[in-house]
Amino acid sequence: MLTYDIRLPPGPKTVEYAVLAEELGYRCVWCPEIPAFGHDIWITLARIAERTTRIGVGASVLIPSYRHAMAQASAIATLEALAPGRLQAGFGTGFTGRAGMGKRPLKLADMRTHIEQVRGLLRGDVVDIDGGLAQLIASDGYLPDRPIDVPILMAAQGPKARQLASEIADGMIALGAPAPGFDTCLVSTNGTVLDDGEDITSPRAAAAVRPLVALAYHFRYTNDRDGLKAMPNGEAWLASVEKLDEKVRHLSVHRGHTLDVSNGHDHLVGVEAAKEMTFSGTRDELRERLDKLEAAGATGIIFGTSGVDVERELHAYAEVAGLK
């Protein structure tokens, strides 16, 4: 049976939304590590843990290049002390988080090294990190006793990444569609719930999904310029970006990540195909899609939305999932 979670970017109202998510019956609230776009992930998760009593707290996803493995392990251990048994940690190569700094995603070899180092530290092992031996050596009472058994997941899309996830992680976070062979396979989604008779191009729906559809433009800008030009208004969007100095274009492109269209380009994004490109539809349509995801091997869903009327979407997705 599917589990139902919510993803909330760290920001000034995230804790408030997490409290509501707990009241509505969601299993877990996940926050992405996107420091250039909002609040710090670990501070936010700690505040959520202290304001809630039941709901799980998850990092989705942590980008290894942002933090030393020791700092990462210490943060995980601290959250486990604040909310025992409620934490999950997901790791990823960092598309937007790194592209927003003009960097390519991390290599899978770097992912393996970081995750293995963090897992070793949480077990209480002595770990070789860059030629120096490291260990969590906190005095009694400062951190949970080792081993610290926090589930570690990996965001994985291609076959090589999924193979790595099967070797070093406790489960996988997938975009769009699940992959077989994982006891835990959470499908991460983004979208809006349409009211009966509401079109995806209605002013409300278009405002809600445009920042989410924009991610496809951002991805193609980085990886497939010809594919970008073929998207609705793609050439106009690209022309808008190319007016800027090439050295800082990436800073503008990724501004407002999933939250809004404040970067001066994403207002040009077309939403006509948003139902296919995002997890959007009426309640009945989305329930049908959930059934198909479960049949394909998903064990849980992480619902995501833009920064437009988050409270509405929390209530609407709870209705879709049949939560209390």
Side-chain angles (χ1 to χ4, degrees):
M1 187 173 181
L2 288 175
T3 59
Y4 297 103
D5 304 344
I6 196 76
R7 182 176 59 255
L8 300 170
K13 292 188 176 182
T14 302
V15 177
E16 174 186 330
Y17 295 146
V19 171
L20 175 59
E22 180 171 71
E23 293 172 356
L24 291 172
Y26 288 94
R27 183 192 70 117
C28 183
V29 56
W30 297 83
C31 289
E33 185 172 36
I34 44 175
F37 305 100
H39 290 192
D40 179 81
I41 184 175
W42 289 114
I43 293 174
T44 301
L45 290 176
R47 293 180 63 216
I48 291 171
E50 291 183 329
R51 285 280 305 278
T52 57
T53 59
R54 175 199 60 79
I55 197 168
V57 288
S60 176
V61 291
L62 300 166
I63 301 174
S65 60
Y66 283 156
R67 297 175 194 265
H68 189 278
M70 177 61 77
Q72 199 82 274
S74 176
I76 291 171
T78 302
L79 256 293
E80 179 63 15
L82 290 175
R86 292 165 59 193
L87 176 63
Q88 298 179 78
F91 290 82
T93 57
F95 162 58
T96 300
R98 286 178 58 83
M101 300 189 299
K103 303 285 187 180
R104 302 289 296 179
L106 288 172
K107 296 179 180 178
L108 291 179
D110 296 326
M111 292 289 296
R112 178 188 289 276
T113 297
H114 184 82
I115 293 174
E116 289 180 342
Q117 288 172 346
V118 170
R119 297 203 81 146
L121 292 169
L122 293 174
R123 286 194 302 266
D125 296 347
V126 175
V127 178
D128 187 323
I129 303 178
D130 300 329
L133 297 183
Q135 186 180 33
L136 283 177
I137 52 176
S139 298
D140 290 347
Y142 277 79
L143 291 176
D145 293 338
R146 272 69 74 200
I148 298 170
D149 189 21
V150 169
I152 289 180
L153 288 75
M154 182 175 156
Q157 289 306 109
K160 292 183 179 179
R162 290 179 173 179
Q163 177 60 37
L164 178 60
S166 71
E167 295 173 11
I168 65 172
D170 301 310
M172 188 186 77
I173 300 172
L175 293 177
F182 290 87
D183 292 337
T184 297
C185 182
L186 306 181
V187 176
S188 183
T189 67
N190 283 308
T192 188
V193 180
L194 299 176
D195 293 324
D196 289 342
E198 183 181 23
D199 191 87
I200 195 68
T201 59
S202 72
R204 186 213 64 80
V209 298
R210 186 167 279 113
L212 307 175
V213 175
L215 290 179
Y217 288 65
H218 302 172
F219 182 83
R220 284 174 174 79
Y221 173 75
T222 304
N223 298 284
D224 179 14
R225 297 290 174 88
D226 289 336
L228 169 61
K229 293 177 183 178
M231 299 182 73
N233 294 335
E235 291 192 5
W237 186 93
L238 181 59
S240 175
V241 172
E242 290 179 340
K243 293 178 182 178
L244 303 174
D245 187 324
E246 186 174 3
K247 293 181 180 179
V248 296
R249 287 174 188 168
H250 64 281
L251 299 176
S252 180
V253 164
H254 296 285
R255 186 184 302 275
H257 171 71
T258 74
L259 294 175
D260 54 46
V261 292
S262 61
N263 63 7
H265 320 295
D266 288 347
H267 66 284
L268 297 168
V269 166
V271 299
E272 297 84 355
K275 287 181 71 173
E276 293 74 31
M277 296 176 68
T278 67
F279 194 77
S280 299
T282 65
R283 287 157 176 80
D284 287 343
E285 289 171 339
L286 294 182
R287 290 187 190 103
E288 183 177 342
R289 291 176 69 173
L290 289 174
D291 289 341
K292 291 180 180 179
L293 289 172
E294 185 174 16
T299 63
I301 305 296
I302 303 175
F303 295 118
T305 184
S306 67
V308 179
D309 205 350
V310 175
E311 288 189 20
R312 176 200 181 274
E313 303 293 359
L314 279 167
H315 281 279
Y317 276 121
E319 292 174 8
V320 170
L323 305 179
K324 67 174 184 178

